[in-house]
């Protein structure tokens, strides 16, 4: 990295954060990360698939938005069975996306704009077309046989017969987690699709190979990693059977692989071999399905420094029942209880990542907001509430435009392996009719987030000059970056202001967090406090006006309004009134404070 770029970052960090050596090392506390899903971001070579050239051409857009870090979903060579989360070569770029030279240029151009780049690294599994797996599969005596989880059929059962799988575990992408290999008469483990065999992290040679590869990327200049499902790498080596789920052909084995017995030791070893001597330079984010607050504290405690922050899933599963396809409705009180618990749990030790959206989640404005008459208001309010929490916010491409769920009409319009497997499994077994299965996909499918980025009102939304790999959302003529950038009241400019606020207002980064009104069904409210500065953050999660009853409402009504529209009705004594889906941030100084205590029980 060029010294002047480093200096710019340093001065940015010291301008905007408390002058404390610990915090300047943890530069990511005041950063905002932007996630790019490359195949859907921008296509520069007219093949209908986004690529590195497309990203390079849009760096100025990202600089205007003001983000500090780009997280690139996988761009390595891959058969694309799970769109890059099935890697067949860890040290190259898929020609679909470009070349290593182009990657280096992109990294350089991003750094020139003071934007760091982190790679998405998928090391719980490889592609079944990775040379490691091909070698492992080739013969039982292969030195790489033990790099994956191979097991014989269940004792006394015919190889390949139903129920002969070594354990009863379900794959996260439907069906059994084991695939039978005719060549050797054994099965291999795949927690995701059969095209994604799990690596055996018990084998030190596997770990060594992974660490070398990670160092190779850091030496190239990348600024860290988002580590895919990293808390699944340690399996209970006994591979016990899991608990059966009602009406399901396979069982839940997660207690034997989520945060398994050696997870902390593996991550500490990784820290030592990969990140030693690079402290304060990298960002390490661990995607961790099923992680609890207590575990997250252990993972992110700077004393052990296994990862800088984790992606937890609780707050994006609140509207789901037995599975993600089972929609049970959304209750704001659950969201407050969940996020409030995470804020409290990581208040003293550790750090939160903050997100509503990514390439695995439906669009947030269609989910917890209102994507019809209040699309703009609710997208802004959701952003305000999230970005004002304590933690590092993540924006998924298009979220800053208030992009909505797709409007797929038939199953043929879906592309995602998880969605298509689910459709086949539940229609095939008669658990659901095709109509019911389609309705579930429309609501929860990952493809909702993967429609092309909407750049302008031109053909294919300016994403490509050819038909894209997945259809463009028809609302692109109204919702697009060109229109948003030209409109000072747009969702885009609201995100820009939120990012700027984080860069300039230390209380947003370092302030304590106090949840208010935990039982209110309409309003999300909290206080941030640092020294003698206090912020009040309010969000109306409903299409009706909402009253916010606070002992010191009249005082807040006189405070500086940092974000939000000036109130239309105002405080009558103890009440502030919010418009439908309105978000507001007030700021006040509190010299000699002590009059009001906000420590509500959560
Ligand atoms: C992570 C990724 C997801 C992928 C899965 C398997 O959850 O975010 O897209 O399908 O891991 O790699």
């Amino acid at each position: 990295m060029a010294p002047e770029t480093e200096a710019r970052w340093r001065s940015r960090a010291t301008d905007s954060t408390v002058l404390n050596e610990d915090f300047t090392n943890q530069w990511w506390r005041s950063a905002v990360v932007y996630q790019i899903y490359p195949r859907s971001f921008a296509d520069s070579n007219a093949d209908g698939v986004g690529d590195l050239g497309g990203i390079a051409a849009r760096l100025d857009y990202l600089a205007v938005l003001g983000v500090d870090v780009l997280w690139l979903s996988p761009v390595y060579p891959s058969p694309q069975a799970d769109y890059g989360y099935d890697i067949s070569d860890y040290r190259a770029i898929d020609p679909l996306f470009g070349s290593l030279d182009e990657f280096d240029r992109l990294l350089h151009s991003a750094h020139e704009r003071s934007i760091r780049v982190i790679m998405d690294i998928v090391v719980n599994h490889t592609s079944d077309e990775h040379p490691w797996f091909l070698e492992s599969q080739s013969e039982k005596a292969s030195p790489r046989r033990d790099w994956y989880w191979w097991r014989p059929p269940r004792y006394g059962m015919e190889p390949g017969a139903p129920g002969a799988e070594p354990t009863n575990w379900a794959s996260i992408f439907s069906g059994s987690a084991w695939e039978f290999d005719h060549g050797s008469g054994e099965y291999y483990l795949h927690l995701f699709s059969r095209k994604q065999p799990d690596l055996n992290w018990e084998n030190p040679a596997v770990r060594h190979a992974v660490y070398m590869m990670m160092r190779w990327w850091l030496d190239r200049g990348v600024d860290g990693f988002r580590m895919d499902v990293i808390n699944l790498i340690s399996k209970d080596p006994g591979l016990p059977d899991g608990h059966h789920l009602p009406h399901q052909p396979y069982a839940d084995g997660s207690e034997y692989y989520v945060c398994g017995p050696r997870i902390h030791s593996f991550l500490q070893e990784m820290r030592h071999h990969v990140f030693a001597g690079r402290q304060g330079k990298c960002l390490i984010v661990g995607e961790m399905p099923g992680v609890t607050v207590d575990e997250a504290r252990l993972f992110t405690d700077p004393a052990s420094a296994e990862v800088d922050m984790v992606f937890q899933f609780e707050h994006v599963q609140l509207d789901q029942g037995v599975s993600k396809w089972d929609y049970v409705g959304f209750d704001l009180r659950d969201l407050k209880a969940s996020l409030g618990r995470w804020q409290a749990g990581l208040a003293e030790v550790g750090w939160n990542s903050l997100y509503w959206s990514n390439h695995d989640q439906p669009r947030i404005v269609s989910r917890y907001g209102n994507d019809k008459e209040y699309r703009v208001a609710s997208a802004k309010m959701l952003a305000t509430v999230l970005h004002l929490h304590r933690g590092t916010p993540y924006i998924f491409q298009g979220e800053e435009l208030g992009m909505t769920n797709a409007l797929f009409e038939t199953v043929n319009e879906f592309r995602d392996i998880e969605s298509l497997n689910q459709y086949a499994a539940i229609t095939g077994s008669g658990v659901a009719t095709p109509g019911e299965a389609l309705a579930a996909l429309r609501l929860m499918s990952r493809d909702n987030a993967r429609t092309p980025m909407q750049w302008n009102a031109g053909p294919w939304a300016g994403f490509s000059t050819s038909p894209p790999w997945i259809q463009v959302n028809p609302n692109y003529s109204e919702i697009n970056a060109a229109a948003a950038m030209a409109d000072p009241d747009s969702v885009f400019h609201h995100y820009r202001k939120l990012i700027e606020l984080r860069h300039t207002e230390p209380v947003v980064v370092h302030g304590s967090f106090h949840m208010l009104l935990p039982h209110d069904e309409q309003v999300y409210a909290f206080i941030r406090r640092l020294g003698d500065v206090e912020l009040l953050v309010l969000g109306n999660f409903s299409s009706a006006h909402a009253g916010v009853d606070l002992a010191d409402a009249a005082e807040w009504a006189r405070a500086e309004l940092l974000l939000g529209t000036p109130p239309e009705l105002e405080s009558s004594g103890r009440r502030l009134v919010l418009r439908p889906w309105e978000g507001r941030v007030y700021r006040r100084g509190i010299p000699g404070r002590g009059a009001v205590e906000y420590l509500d029980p959560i």
Side-chain angles (χ1 to χ4, degrees):
M1 179 190 314
E4 64 281 12
T5 310
E6 176 91 42
R8 222 166 32 233
W9 278 335
R10 284 268 158 203
S11 74
R12 190 192 262 192
T14 48
D15 283 342
S16 61
T17 59
V18 171
L19 289 174
N20 171 324
E21 187 45 33
D22 273 342
F23 289 153
T24 46
N25 254 344
Q26 297 177 359
W27 55 268
W28 33 261
R29 284 186 179 232
S30 56
V32 176
V33 183
Y34 187 92
Q35 182 194 353
I36 292 184
Y37 191 67
R39 40 182 323 120
S40 303
F41 191 64
D43 174 19
S44 69
N45 65 352
D47 63 355
V49 178
D51 47 42
L52 297 183
I55 300 172
R58 303 292 179 172
L59 284 178
D60 285 334
Y61 168 84
L62 299 167
V64 171
L65 186 58
V67 295
D68 306 278
V69 182
L70 298 184
W71 147 24
L72 297 187
S73 276
V75 285
Y76 318 91
S78 159
Q80 304 287 326
D82 188 18
Y83 293 131
Y85 286 89
D86 49 322
I87 298 172
S88 54
D89 181 354
Y90 285 109
R91 299 189 190 207
I93 299 292
D94 197 306
L96 189 63
F97 297 121
S99 64
L100 263 179
D101 278 350
E102 263 183 288
F103 178 83
D104 290 341
R105 285 200 298 276
L106 173 65
L107 194 59
H108 181 74
S109 309
H111 285 171
E112 278 184 336
R113 291 165 176 81
S114 302
I115 298 177
R116 291 171 154 103
V117 177
I118 65 171
M119 299 296 275
D120 203 323
I121 197 146
V122 189
V123 288
N124 173 68
H125 45 268
T126 66
S127 161
D128 66 341
E129 297 180 33
H130 193 293
W132 295 345
F133 184 77
L134 295 176
E135 220 179 302
S136 177
Q137 188 181 30
S138 65
E139 49 172 334
K140 281 187 183 171
S142 156
R144 288 234 161 85
R145 185 68 171 178
D146 186 47
W147 280 41
Y148 294 84
W149 293 89
W150 290 97
R151 288 292 182 277
R154 199 174 277 270
Y155 182 71
M157 294 202 66
E158 192 62 29
E165 295 90 1
T167 74
N168 60 4
W169 300 357
S171 151
I172 294 162
F173 285 172
S174 306
S176 167
W178 295 93
E179 180 73 8
F180 183 59
D181 171 52
H182 287 276
S184 63
E186 291 192 327
Y187 292 80
Y188 66 85
L189 177 68
H190 59 89
L191 293 181
F192 293 89
S193 86
R194 63 178 181 77
K195 297 280 295 170
Q196 294 163 294
D198 281 52
L199 280 166
N200 176 14
W201 275 69
E202 294 297 318
N203 185 329
V206 168
R207 306 204 297 273
H208 182 69
V210 169
Y211 303 153
M212 298 259 293
M213 171 274 286
M214 291 172 81
R215 286 214 301 262
W216 185 84
W217 281 104
L218 292 176
D219 291 343
R220 248 197 142 76
V222 308
D223 302 290
F225 300 102
R226 175 268 189 187
M227 303 196 290
D228 191 70
V229 292
I230 198 68
N231 65 330
L232 309 190
I233 57 177
S234 165
K235 279 88 177 166
D236 179 334
L239 303 181
D241 272 338
H243 297 293
H244 265 289
L245 302 166
H247 317 297
Q248 298 294 322
Y250 296 99
D252 177 10
S254 59
E255 68 181 286
Y256 303 113
Y257 58 76
V258 169
C259 298
R262 298 182 69 195
I263 184 65
H264 293 288
S265 111
F266 291 161
L267 290 179
Q268 279 166 26
E269 187 185 68
M270 176 191 287
R271 188 87 198 190
H272 176 74
H273 287 283
V274 180
F275 301 110
R278 304 184 204 248
Q279 267 84 4
K281 299 219 182 304
C282 302
L283 169 62
I284 309 152
V285 190
E287 188 209 22
M288 299 200 177
V291 69
T292 64
V293 179
D294 289 341
E295 285 158 349
R297 200 180 305 120
L298 293 176
F299 286 121
T300 63
D301 181 346
S304 50
E306 292 170 15
V307 294
D308 296 320
M309 59 192 92
V310 307
F311 283 127
Q312 56 92 10
F313 282 65
E314 242 180 61
H315 69 295
V316 289
Q317 289 173 335
L318 299 170
D319 53 356
Q320 300 168 5
V322 287
S323 79
K324 73 178 265 181
W325 308 105
D326 176 28
Y327 179 73
V328 296
F330 170 69
D331 185 328
L332 179 63
R333 291 167 299 184
D334 297 338
L335 182 67
K336 288 190 273 192
S338 170
L339 289 179
R341 204 154 32 74
W342 280 86
Q343 290 286 303
L346 299 183
E348 304 295 331
V349 170
W351 191 247
N352 272 296
S353 57
L354 308 169
Y355 74 94
W356 289 133
S357 316
N358 58 45
H359 63 293
D360 294 331
Q361 302 294 333
R363 291 283 180 184
I364 196 62
V365 71
S366 303
R367 192 177 183 187
Y368 294 170
N370 175 323
D371 65 4
K372 311 256 165 355
E373 65 272 39
Y374 292 111
R375 184 186 66 83
V376 170
S378 64
K380 288 184 187 175
M381 183 280 292
L382 285 161
T384 300
V385 166
L386 189 81
H387 283 238
L388 267 292
H389 276 72
R390 185 180 156 91
T392 299
Y394 288 70
I395 302 170
F396 176 65
Q397 64 184 47
E399 182 186 330
E400 78 282 13
L401 305 177
M403 276 179 62
T404 66
N405 274 355
L407 295 168
F408 300 126
E409 272 160 24
T410 70
V411 69
N412 301 331
E413 292 162 40
F414 288 84
R415 298 285 175 270
D416 166 35
I417 188 169
E418 180 195 36
S419 308
L420 295 171
N421 282 1
Q422 167 69 8
Y423 183 89
I426 61 174
T427 53
S429 63
V431 169
T433 64
E436 288 164 346
L438 182 61
L441 257 51
R442 287 173 61 123
L443 216 52
M444 292 310 294
S445 170
R446 311 193 293 182
D447 280 341
N448 281 307
R450 299 176 179 186
T451 60
M453 178 75 177
Q454 294 166 203
W455 290 107
N456 57 45
W460 296 299
F463 161 76
S464 176
T465 49
S466 305
W469 68 280
I470 188 169
Q471 81 178 30
V472 176
N473 192 315
N475 61 23
Y476 72 93
S477 47
E478 181 206 342
I479 305 171
N480 62 66
M485 289 178 86
D487 171 6
D489 290 329
S490 66
V491 180
F492 175 88
H493 286 294
H494 188 75
Y495 270 85
R496 201 178 47 68
K497 287 181 208 155
L498 283 168
I499 296 167
E500 200 177 300
L501 190 63
R502 174 163 292 265
H503 290 156
T504 52
E505 184 62 74
V507 63
V508 176
V509 179
H510 301 291
S512 58
F513 178 96
H514 308 277
M515 186 70 84
L516 304 177
L517 311 173
H519 307 298
D520 191 299
E521 293 174 34
Q522 253 183 310
V523 176
Y524 201 116
F526 55 91
I527 293 282
R528 301 292 311 279
R529 186 182 299 136
L530 182 71
D532 58 3
V533 174
E534 208 172 51
L535 303 181
L536 170 67
V537 183
L538 302 174
N540 179 359
F541 275 69
S542 81
S543 301
H545 281 80
V548 188
D549 293 316
L550 295 173
D552 54 348
E555 250 181 73
W556 277 117
R558 287 192 298 273
E560 180 189 359
L561 186 63
L562 283 186
L563 279 175
T565 36
E568 120 193 304
L569 288 173
E570 220 19 287
S571 119
S572 53
R574 298 166 63 97
R575 168 163 279 216
L576 297 167
V577 181
L578 298 176
R579 295 183 185 84
W581 297 102
E582 183 178 359
R584 245 184 245 170
V585 182
Y586 288 105
R587 179 190 198 277
R588 70 180 182 190
I590 40 166
R593 66 165 294 279
V596 186
E597 191 42 79
Y598 287 109
L599 287 174
D600 287 41
I602 289 165

